[in-house]
Amino acid sequence: MNPNHSKANFIKFNRIVSAGTATISLLFVGISSPTLPAYAFAGDCSSIDPNRAGPINVKTVLKVDLNGREIQLRTGFLQDVSPPQQFGWARMENNQNGDDIWMDFSEDGGRTWKQCGPWSRQYSEAVPTSRDRNRVFRACGTVSINIFSRSEVKCTTWF
């Protein structure tokens, strides 16, 4: 048996196995699921009720319509926080029983995010804003169509 012939077959076999492994890896990468939000830990969300923290200079900065309800992203200064600082929160105008509202926030410009909520009430908890361009927020919600179904999720753009 020629030793060079066995070595050539071994190298050829390794190339075929490597190419096959690379193809299978690419297939799995191609069918991976989209990035899903991470649910925020209790410490990530402020647990500050914006309606009870003395909000001033409140502005609706973004809004989107969902089945007759308006999902809003709001900002304002909360006086009962020491020192007073600006926060952001989500609000649903014309909300009804079974509707949910929450706020997503991101530290990397919206590539990944954490979800604070959902809450079955008119507004979410408030989260401190920042001058950092990578810290962004959006308001999201879903509404009850009837007792058996819900609408799609709808969010404002990132702010």
Side-chain angles (χ1 to χ4, degrees), residues 57-99:
N57 299 329
V58 176
K59 298 176 191 161
T60 299
V61 293
L62 292 170
K63 57 187 174 181
V64 65
D65 183 70
L66 178 60
N67 291 29
R69 280 84 147 182
E70 189 174 81
I71 297 171
Q72 305 170 346
L73 180 63
R74 294 184 141 201
T75 62
F77 285 85
L78 302 183
Q79 298 180 91
D80 293 350
V81 176
S82 182
Q85 67 184 77
Q86 188 176 34
F87 281 76
W89 64 93
R91 183 174 187 268
M92 185 182 293
E93 189 73 32
N94 300 321
N95 69 312
Q96 299 175 14
N97 284 339
D99 296 350

Side-chain angles (χ1 to χ4, degrees), residues 31-37:
I31 61 171
S32 66
S33 62
T35 304
L36 297 175

